[in-house]
Amino acid sequence: MSGFTTQWLALREPHDRKARNATLLDAVASTFQEQTSIAVVDLACGTGATLRAIGDRLPRRQSWRLVDNNLSLLAQAAALARPPDVAVTARTIDLVRDLELALDGPTDLVTTSALLDLVSADWLERLAVETAARRLPVYAALTYQGSITLEPSEPFDLEIVAAVNRHQRRDKGFGPALGPEAALRAVRSFERVGYDVRSGASDWVFGPQDREIQLAVLAGWAGAAGELAELPQDAVAGWLARRRSLVTAGRAHMRVGHVDVFALPSAAR
């Protein structure tokens, strides 16, 4: 489900938090500002980054149901409980098979981060239908949308970006993934079931000081291109070496497009 290592999640978390769309965060906060308490279910929670990112924008009394299929990550997420105000229940659930189980129970808000680009069109429709049946607001952050800008430009950039986007559409456990199409499909899916939907950019923007995250992202992209086995391996390796040199020299800038979505049942406005 989350499919990510603890190290990668820790590395990306501060950048994810910075990237979250402030306007949508304000919209989430304002939706629940009159409540004294809130119950949240976070799908594919990882180590609990969503709770850390938005917890202070929600009513003081919070009950979080954190869902993942990785026991190690869930154990870290469960430690975020802060009695008596923040209660946390960690649940091992296979979202492919048991999404409905994850949503059942007292819930005011469904959240997820960096998930929708990994799921299939069928699963996304299922999420929209099941949340609509329960009239649950959904805040889905940091969905990859396919645009990558690298500066300075290098030969083979376009080929690598195209390969990454093809790889993003491969099966990530939910069926053929939506990849770069996910955010737009999410907006349309929730609108079809009667939601008012807001979306906004939440791009990663890395500068010369962000060496570690840039190197990790570049290595991941080269690995994805290698898995496809569609490009000459020596060309991929040469591209990665040149890009690494730019990063270590403090000359590299990177923007990776992401989108945040907040879907609210129309009558809730």
Side-chain angles (χ1 to χ4, degrees), residues 26-172:
D26 288 343
V28 173
S30 66
T31 299
F32 301 100
Q33 64 183 351
E34 302 300 325
Q35 296 184 197
T36 59
S37 64
I38 187 171
V40 185
V41 57
D42 187 36
L43 306 178
C45 67
T47 63
T50 300
L51 191 164
R52 288 188 290 270
I54 73 171
D56 62 356
R57 304 295 305 274
L58 299 176
R60 180 176 176 180
R61 292 180 56 201
Q62 302 172 19
S63 174
W64 286 77
R65 190 159 70 252
L66 302 182
V67 176
D68 209 293
N69 65 351
N70 185 311
L71 291 174
S72 175
L73 300 181
L74 274 177
Q76 296 180 59
L80 295 174
R82 295 292 181 269
D85 292 328
V86 180
V88 172
T89 301
R91 300 194 64 186
T92 308
I93 295 177
D94 181 351
L95 287 178
V96 179
R97 185 186 63 209
D98 295 323
L99 172 62
E100 296 77 9
L101 178 62
L103 297 174
D104 285 345
T107 308
D108 298 304
L109 173 66
V110 176
T111 64
T112 191
S113 299
L115 174 66
L116 297 189
D117 48 279
L118 305 180
V119 307
S120 67
D122 287 345
W123 191 92
L124 180 58
E125 291 294 328
R126 186 171 152 212
L127 175 67
V129 168
E130 292 297 334
T131 52
R134 297 162 174 80
R135 299 198 59 75
L136 298 176
V138 179
Y139 170 57
L142 300 158
T143 299
Y144 174 69
Q145 54 85 281
S147 66
I148 296 172
T149 303
L150 301 171
E151 296 179 354
S153 62
E154 274 287 321
F156 219 59
D157 284 348
L158 294 179
E159 290 85 349
I160 293 292
V161 171
V164 168
N165 286 333
R166 289 194 297 274
H167 189 278
Q168 284 291 114
R169 294 180 172 88
R170 300 179 82 182
D171 191 337
K172 304 298 191 298

Side-chain angles (χ1 to χ4, degrees), residues 241-256:
R242 293 192 301 273
R243 279 276 158 219
R244 282 173 167 167
S245 295
L246 289 169
V247 173
T248 56
R251 297 179 53 210
H253 297 259
M254 179 186 296
R255 178 182 286 269
V256 183

Side-chain angles (χ1 to χ4, degrees), residues 126-244:
R126 186 171 152 212
L127 175 67
V129 168
E130 292 297 334
T131 52
R134 297 162 174 80
R135 299 198 59 75
L136 298 176
V138 179
Y139 170 57
L142 300 158
T143 299
Y144 174 69
Q145 54 85 281
S147 66
I148 296 172
T149 303
L150 301 171
E151 296 179 354
S153 62
E154 274 287 321
F156 219 59
D157 284 348
L158 294 179
E159 290 85 349
I160 293 292
V161 171
V164 168
N165 286 333
R166 289 194 297 274
H167 189 278
Q168 284 291 114
R169 294 180 172 88
R170 300 179 82 182
D171 191 337
K172 304 298 191 298
F174 293 80
L178 286 166
E181 301 172 14
L184 180 58
R185 291 290 291 267
V187 170
R188 292 175 176 172
S189 294
F190 283 106
E191 287 179 340
R192 277 197 297 269
V193 292
Y195 278 64
D196 291 333
V197 186
R198 303 180 189 182
S199 63
S202 53
D203 295 354
W204 280 345
V205 180
F206 304 145
Q209 73 279 8
D210 302 311
R211 288 184 174 89
E212 188 176 7
I213 186 75
Q214 287 206 56
L215 290 172
V217 169
L218 291 170
W221 289 344
E227 286 181 18
L228 289 180
E230 297 172 356
L231 301 174
Q233 292 302 301
D234 58 345
V236 174
W239 173 86
L240 180 58
R242 293 192 301 273
R243 279 276 158 219
R244 282 173 167 167

